[in-house]
């Protein structure tokens, strides 16, 4: 009885913490809006860093409390913020306010327990309507250096790159946001690369058929149900091998809308 009671207490505490996060989310959105208003007048690196850090914090909390739609919104928000920072101007700020509004909607819907499918659709429509129509690649690697390498190679092909270092977080992202290709390490935190791809294939969601490039120092072949997966050896020649594989995928998709 004691163990059951303790488990109930833990479950109740977790629900309270999740509810507190959702209740505080509109206030965090207000803070983000205030920073955007400052950036609208003139670019300030310190303000940008504060805004980016806030969005990143909300993304992490969304994952901790089991709200993948919040994580997906923030992940996409981070991507456009990073692109905007390279050439700051006032025009894209309208897009940023849209992401904040979507976060406010998410807080309301999740608190009420209503269906969130329309939020996912809004996020996808928002991506398309906001000019984020470049092919998207998700890079999942525990090593910071490997993430940077994959990002540099992908960017050379004008691909929009999102970076994740954790297998479970990657799976959440893949189940909620559309991607054209997955570059993933075989050895990861939480879930290894094979487990992520297996769950992705079984889920039969929006990314279940995307091509996968798996980076591995292990030469053991993967199970057939994970295909199509291209194993890339973790060697000094990885940069050239990854570039060659991405070039092949782009050539194959030259008559279509995606890399899949």
């Amino acid at each position: 009885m004691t163990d059951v009671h303790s488990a109930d207490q833990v479950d109740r505490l977790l629900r309270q913490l999740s509810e507190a996060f959702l209740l505080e989310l509109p206030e965090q959105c207000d803070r983000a809006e205030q920073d955007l208003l400052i950036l609208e007048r003139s670019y300030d690196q310190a303000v940008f860093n504060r805004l980016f850090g806030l969005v990143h914090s909300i993304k992490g909390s969304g994952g901790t409390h089991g709200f993948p739609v919040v994580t997906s919104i923030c992940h996409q928000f981070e991507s456009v913020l990073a692109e905007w920072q390279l050439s700051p101007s006032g025009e894209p700020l309208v897009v940023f306010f849209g992401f904040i509004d979507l976060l406010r909607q998410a807080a309301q819907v999740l608190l009420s327990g209503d269906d969130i499918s329309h939020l996912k659709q809004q996020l996808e429509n928002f991506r398309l309507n906001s000019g984020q129509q470049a092919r998207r690649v998700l890079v999942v690697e525990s090593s910071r250096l490997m993430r940077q390498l994959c990002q540099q190679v992908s960017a050379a092909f004008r691909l929009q790159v999102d970076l994740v270092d954790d297998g479970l977080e990657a799976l959440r992202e893949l189940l909620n946001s559309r991607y054209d290709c997955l570059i993933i390490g075989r050895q990861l935190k939480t879930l290894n690369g094979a487990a992520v791809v297996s769950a992705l294939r079984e889920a039969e969601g929006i990314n279940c058929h995307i091509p996968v490039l798996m980076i591995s120092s292990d030469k053991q072949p993967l199970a057939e149900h994970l295909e199509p997966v291209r194993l890339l050896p973790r060697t000094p020649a990885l940069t050239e091998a990854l570039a060659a594989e991405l070039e092949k995928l782009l050539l194959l998709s030259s008559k279509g809308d995606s890399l899949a």
Side-chain angles (χ1 to χ4, degrees):
M1 291 292 294
T2 302
D3 290 342
V4 173
H5 181 66
S6 298
D8 288 342
Q9 285 184 320
V10 170
D11 186 58
R12 184 164 55 251
L13 176 60
L14 291 175
R15 288 199 304 269
Q16 290 173 348
L17 290 172
S18 295
E19 183 178 353
F21 164 70
L22 293 175
L23 290 171
E24 293 171 2
L25 187 51
E27 182 180 341
Q28 292 178 305
C29 288
D30 290 342
R31 289 165 51 197
E33 251 182 11
Q34 290 171 6
D35 283 342
L36 282 178
L37 290 171
I38 295 173
L39 292 171
E40 197 170 34
R41 291 192 295 270
S42 63
Y43 181 77
D44 185 300
Q45 186 64 50
V47 175
F48 177 86
N49 291 343
R50 184 172 63 203
L51 172 62
F52 194 92
L54 176 59
V55 175
H56 188 75
S57 175
I58 294 172
K59 182 181 78 170
S61 296
T64 299
H65 294 294
F67 301 129
V69 67
V70 172
T71 303
S72 296
I73 294 169
C74 291
H75 204 102
Q76 199 164 310
F77 195 0
E78 283 182 329
S79 295
V80 295
L81 280 171
E83 291 176 9
W84 177 78
Q85 186 188 23
L86 299 175
S87 181
S89 63
E91 186 176 350
L93 291 177
V94 178
V95 176
F96 301 161
F97 284 111
F99 280 111
I100 293 174
D101 184 60
L102 203 53
L103 282 172
R104 285 199 177 97
Q105 291 183 53
Q108 295 175 355
V109 171
L110 291 168
L111 277 171
S112 66
D114 293 339
D115 181 68
I116 64 169
S117 57
H118 69 285
L119 288 176
K120 297 178 184 178
Q121 187 59 54
Q122 283 187 60
L123 183 60
E124 179 63 15
N125 293 340
F126 192 70
R127 180 180 74 86
L128 296 173
N129 294 332
S130 63
Q132 293 178 271
Q133 299 185 41
R135 292 184 172 106
R136 299 182 71 197
V137 173
L138 181 64
V139 173
V140 190
E141 251 293 346
S142 298
S143 164
R144 180 176 60 85
L145 291 177
M146 292 301 298
R147 291 197 301 274
Q148 290 178 342
L149 182 150
C150 293
Q151 182 179 32
Q152 290 170 358
V153 174
S154 301
F157 291 96
R158 299 182 181 274
L159 300 171
Q160 180 184 326
V161 183
D162 291 338
L163 303 174
V164 173
D165 65 356
D166 177 90
L168 186 57
E169 182 183 350
L171 182 58
R172 292 195 187 106
E173 184 66 20
L174 287 162
L175 293 175
N176 289 278
S177 299
R178 187 178 298 280
Y179 286 94
D180 298 289
C181 180
L182 171 63
I183 302 173
I184 188 168
R186 194 165 187 171
Q187 293 78 33
L188 298 170
K189 297 183 290 183
T190 318
L191 286 179
N192 63 40
V196 172
V197 177
S198 178
L200 181 64
R201 300 299 193 218
E202 291 293 330
E204 297 185 355
I206 54 177
N207 294 307
C208 65
H209 298 302
I210 62 172
V212 176
L213 305 177
M214 184 174 290
I215 301 169
S216 176
S217 54
D218 184 355
K219 296 181 180 179
Q220 183 177 354
L222 295 166
E224 290 184 5
H225 74 280
L226 300 182
E227 298 296 337
V229 177
R230 178 76 168 89
L231 276 176
L232 300 180
R234 195 184 294 265
T235 68
L238 176 61
T239 300
E240 291 77 11
L242 179 58
E245 289 299 324
L246 288 175
E247 186 173 13
K248 288 179 187 176
L249 290 173
L250 288 168
L251 286 172
L252 288 172
S253 66
S254 59
K255 295 182 180 181
D257 295 328
S258 69
L259 300 181

